[in-house]
Amino acid sequence: MSIEARLNELGIALPDAAAPAANYVPFVRTGNLLYVSGQVPQQDGKLVVGQLGAGYSVEDGKAAARLCGLSLIAQVRKASGDLDKVRVLKLNGFVNATADFGEHPAVINGASDLMVEVFGEKGRHARSAVGSSSLPFGVAVEVEGIFEIE
């Protein structure tokens, strides 16, 4: 089954690939590697803001990370033109969290689980999940990725 068919079967509609918010590009391809800039969670055109450990739950954070993952896939589709030729190599997740919050991996699972759901075995990847005292625009999560294009 093609990745586009899988997205349809799962009822997943990818957002439009977002334009950069500053002086950078959304992705860079070198050879068969694609580096995608950090994607922030957006829903219905609005940023998803919040801080884990300060009234924002792990499940809320996981949902925000999934939104970041959807944006990553949208950027990859724009860059590659064919999601069937894509393998996910690495995700780096940043969690806006209080100093005592420690469930960063559970939050970033929202993006990781999505990659496996969409790409199957080619969605399994290396990963980092890091806490930060703040993120741009007050968003809850930011996720960047490295992909291989066959």
Side-chain angles (χ1 to χ4, degrees):
M1 173 184 300
S2 76
I3 299 301
E4 295 292 343
R6 185 173 295 151
L7 287 168
N8 288 332
E9 182 180 270
L10 295 169
I12 295 174
L14 295 177
D16 292 333
N23 188 18
Y24 64 91
V25 294
F27 51 80
V28 171
R29 184 171 179 176
T30 180
N32 64 342
L33 296 178
L34 180 68
Y35 294 82
V36 181
S37 295
Q39 302 294 300
V40 296
Q42 296 186 55
Q43 190 160 35
D44 302 323
K46 295 182 180 179
L47 293 173
V48 176
V49 299
Q51 188 176 45
L52 281 290
Y56 204 75
S57 75
V58 170
E59 287 306 311
D60 291 336
K62 191 173 179 179
R66 182 180 175 91
L67 291 171
C68 294
L70 292 171
S71 293
L72 280 170
I73 296 170
Q75 294 290 358
V76 171
R77 179 179 4 175
K78 183 175 181 179
S80 72
D82 184 357
L83 291 174
D84 292 325
K85 296 182 177 184
V86 172
R87 178 176 171 217
V88 185
L89 297 179
K90 182 161 189 201
L91 297 181
N92 292 315
F94 306 91
V95 179
N96 183 353
T98 59
D100 61 341
F101 184 80
E103 297 181 66
H104 309 88
V107 171
I108 301 304
N109 278 346
S112 292
D113 293 349
L114 175 69
M115 295 302 158
V116 174
E117 185 179 357
V118 170
F119 293 101
E121 284 301 311
K122 290 170 75 175
R124 296 195 183 284
H125 53 274
R127 188 183 86 178
S128 297
V130 178
S132 176
S133 63
S134 68
L135 288 173
F137 313 111
V139 296
V141 180
E142 182 174 347
V143 182
E144 64 182 25
I146 304 171
F147 301 83
E148 180 180 37
I149 312 297
E150 298 174 353

